[in-house]
Amino acid sequence: MIVDMHNHIIPQASINRLLADVETFGVAIDADAGRIAHREGFAYPLFREFIDPIEKLRQLDERGFDKAVISPSPTLFFYRAEARRNVEFVRQLNEDIAAFAAQGEGRLLGMGTLPMQSPEDSVAELDYLVDHLGIRSVMIGTHIDGVQLSAPQFRPVLKHAADRGVFVLLHPYYFGSKPGLEDYYLTNLIGNPLDTAVAAAHLIFSGVMEELPKLKICLSHGGGFIPYQVGRLVHGQLVRKEAQTTRLSAKQLLRRFYFDTITHDVQALKFLLDLVGPEQVLLGTDIPFDMADLAPMSALNAIEGLSDTARSLVAGGNALRLIAA
């Protein structure tokens, strides 16, 4: 069973709601260019696969996937919008995701999102997802309008997700200026994995990962940079009082995270699997964005010495256990 756990959609009904309130959300469609644009300055193609379940299924067949976990594009977080409006939008977006998945012939699993600028409403939305929509996973940003997820106001959300058994995928998103990263698409190539590494470090050193051992939280894009520099965090805990905040080491706490396979490099993926174990890694693509890994099984199959059991867990077993259960 091959399951893509990192696959995005933008339901047409959600697009229509955004276009009906440009003042709040700042979204426009360039019909001639087939692109969706945000007032923050970024734009991207409005692929048919974003909005059409039939096309999504066709693409799964073409790429050799059995199932996909469909999540909203991270461009739909809108953490800067007025809280009440985003709470309303997120509720409707989650319902749109459930409706999209329902048209997937059992091959599409919904992943919702939360209005994180309102923690109280996010707790309520977790219950709505689980109890009314049958969705047991959410995707949220690596930070909330610049505030780290480790901040005290978000602890009830993370704790409730842990208590309800909801899988949480952290996903970076465009936010503000990134000095030094303006050229060469470095806002994404370096900025996105850096945001993930920063979020993970805060969750480790703040005590979140130690206090919430049941929290199922996944780091996008192979964990960003943090798996490959965890030794520096461990060393920092030995020599700097500022980093001596947890009973367990940073390396032990890093292994409590889950990771997708989107590393774009066989050696990097092998290192990740060796570091955290195949039980913590899930196949992902980031489809249909241009940074997607369109053939993730190629890298997985190229890793020498990986057992059939381990390969099966990564390819789909972990996703079905953690997200579809």
Side-chain angles (χ1 to χ4, degrees):
M1 181 68 70
I2 301 175
V3 182
D4 178 7
M5 60 73 65
H6 187 154
N7 191 306
H8 298 298
I9 66 169
I10 307 178
Q12 183 64 57
S14 298
I15 293 174
N16 295 341
R17 295 187 189 97
L18 295 175
L19 296 179
D21 191 354
V22 175
E23 182 177 353
T24 298
F25 299 108
V27 173
I29 301 294
D30 183 342
D32 293 335
R35 294 172 68 80
I36 184 168
H38 295 248
R39 66 173 156 224
E40 290 81 3
F42 56 89
Y44 46 93
L46 189 56
F47 298 107
R48 188 70 192 167
E49 185 178 355
F50 268 138
I51 62 178
D52 184 358
I54 302 303
E55 178 62 14
K56 182 66 77 177
L57 292 177
R58 191 187 73 79
Q59 293 287 352
L60 290 184
D61 288 336
E62 185 173 296
R63 294 163 181 148
F65 299 131
D66 297 297
K67 295 177 183 285
V69 182
I70 52 170
S71 57
S73 165
T75 57
L76 303 185
F77 286 149
F78 298 115
Y79 296 142
R80 283 188 166 182
E82 191 275 322
R84 181 49 47 189
R85 286 294 296 117
N86 196 42
V87 167
E88 296 169 354
F89 174 74
V90 165
R91 171 60 56 87
Q92 294 167 329
L93 172 59
N94 286 335
E95 291 174 343
D96 293 342
I97 291 168
F100 194 112
Q103 298 179 64
E105 302 174 1
R107 300 176 63 192
L108 302 178
L109 307 171
M111 175 180 284
T113 190
L114 302 173
M116 288 295 292
Q117 68 264 62
S118 178
E120 182 177 347
D121 287 299
S122 293
V123 168
E125 194 64 21
L126 282 167
D127 288 333
Y128 186 79
L129 284 163
V130 174
D131 297 332
H132 295 275
L133 298 181
I135 292 176
R136 300 182 64 252
S137 60
V138 294
M139 184 186 74
I140 60 175
T142 47
H143 56 80
I144 310 304
D145 197 20
V147 181
Q148 290 297 321
L149 287 169
S150 58
Q153 62 264 38
F154 303 125
R155 198 69 55 91
V157 182
L158 298 177
K159 184 179 185 303
H160 199 60
D163 291 342
R164 294 304 309 262
V166 172
F167 182 88
V168 180
L169 173 63
L170 297 192
H171 200 297
Y173 66 106
Y174 289 101
F175 170 82
S177 63
K178 297 185 185 297
L181 303 183
E182 298 87 352
D183 298 328
Y184 317 118
Y185 200 49
L186 296 183
T187 51
N188 190 316
L189 302 186
I190 289 178
N192 278 7
L194 177 60
D195 283 353
T196 299
V198 170
H202 275 272
L203 290 169
I204 288 171
F205 287 116
S206 69
V208 169
M209 299 307 294
E210 193 166 66
E211 294 168 21
L212 302 177
K214 295 190 298 180
L215 181 62
K216 300 186 295 187
I217 191 163
C218 181
L219 303 177
S220 296
H221 313 126
F225 300 128
I226 200 160
Y228 320 97
Q229 285 292 330
V230 68
R232 190 173 181 85
L233 303 189
V234 173
H235 179 76
Q237 288 180 312
L238 296 175
V239 301
R240 298 296 306 191
K241 289 184 178 180
E242 305 98 306
Q244 294 167 2
T245 56
T246 60
R247 181 179 56 86
L248 299 176
S249 76
K251 194 169 188 177
Q252 289 173 293
L253 294 172
L254 182 71
R255 287 173 170 151
R256 287 189 176 176
F257 288 99
Y258 294 90
F259 304 81
D260 68 24
T261 59
I262 306 171
T263 61
H264 301 284
D265 185 271
V266 173
Q267 288 180 309
L269 181 57
K270 183 181 187 304
F271 176 85
L272 179 63
L273 286 165
D274 289 342
L275 177 69
V276 302
E279 298 83 2
Q280 301 299 116
V281 181
L282 297 83
L283 197 78
T285 66
D286 215 352
I287 284 171
F289 287 107
D290 55 8
M291 289 299 294
D293 179 359
L294 299 180
M297 287 300 296
S298 295
L300 193 61
N301 289 330
I303 296 176
E304 296 181 2
L306 190 66
S307 70
D308 290 342
T309 299
R311 186 173 288 106
S312 179
L313 286 174
V314 176
N318 291 331
L320 296 177
R321 171 174 56 90
L322 294 164
I323 299 173

